[in-house]
Amino acid sequence: MAANSGVGQAYDGVAELYANLFRGELGGREDDLAAIRRLAGTPAVAERGLPVGDLGCGPGEATELLAGLGVRALGLDLSAGMLAQARLAHPERPFVQGSLTALPLADGSLGAILARYSLIHFPPAELPAALAELHRVLAPGGQLHTGFFAADPELGDTDRPVPFDHKVTTAHRWPVDTLAALFRAAGFTETARTLRAPAPGERFPQGTLTLTA
């Protein structure tokens, strides 16, 4: 979630509903589970023992899945309400409050980062600062995986991010090439990407990027 306190407050107001609505969601998403397994196997994590940061962790389901793979996992979110839900559901895991533009983490302290739909609420002009911060805390050779709402040429989208009326607060859908270019400018190297059509119940295409520091 973005540094804007309004985003955190918006999620505070729906935290319990959100946690109940999406509880167990990841268990049925093989693509997300595969990405989580890949992060756990990143050499900086599996060999050097550095933690994986689930940044924008929400109610903490992915943090728990990472920890279940035997790695050190840290959940971070801007919303105090979301963190309360995460701690209630997973009291044995470490969860901290913080902004993606000012992470309370040392340089190079994470072996991998999961940023699943964590960047969608940033105004486009503010996103580069968040990506630079993600690069700062990721160890050299560490891996980052992000998921996001993708732009749709069939809706007239071009190469610019497009705001839309997310159910919690305004979000953006991104052209994959445009978002990848911002990551490259922040010092990342792209290693994989996906783009798929909306599944039943989804409004927009969904994209992912996997990158290394």
Side-chain angles (χ1 to χ4, degrees), residues 83-91:
L83 291 172
Q85 294 297 316
R87 291 170 180 139
L88 181 66
H90 313 291

Side-chain angles (χ1 to χ4, degrees), residues 140-193:
Q143 186 177 104
L144 180 148
H145 180 83
T146 188
F148 55 95
F149 299 102
D152 188 350
E154 293 187 4
L155 297 177
D157 298 342
T158 59
D159 59 350
R160 298 182 180 181
V162 182
F164 70 94
D165 56 337
H166 186 278
K167 290 183 179 179
V168 180
T169 188
T170 300
H172 292 79
R173 55 183 192 269
W174 281 86
V176 181
D177 285 343
T178 304
L179 185 58
L182 289 180
F183 272 103
R184 288 196 299 272
F188 289 92
T189 299
E190 181 183 346
T191 58
R193 66 169 66 186

Side-chain angles (χ1 to χ4, degrees), residues 74-170:
L74 166 73
L76 177 143
D77 206 277
L78 181 62
S79 165
M82 283 294 194
L83 291 172
Q85 294 297 316
R87 291 170 180 139
L88 181 66
H90 313 291
E92 68 281 16
R93 307 299 171 209
F95 293 101
V96 298
Q97 189 171 14
S99 165
L100 296 188
T101 57
L103 291 166
L105 300 168
D107 294 359
S109 59
L110 297 180
I113 291 173
L114 178 63
R116 184 175 177 269
Y117 295 88
S118 305
L119 304 170
I120 62 172
H121 296 298
F122 278 94
E126 297 179 11
L127 187 57
L131 301 188
E133 186 69 348
L134 295 176
H135 191 270
R136 178 186 68 80
V137 302
L138 190 58
Q143 186 177 104
L144 180 148
H145 180 83
T146 188
F148 55 95
F149 299 102
D152 188 350
E154 293 187 4
L155 297 177
D157 298 342
T158 59
D159 59 350
R160 298 182 180 181
V162 182
F164 70 94
D165 56 337
H166 186 278
K167 290 183 179 179
V168 180
T169 188
T170 300

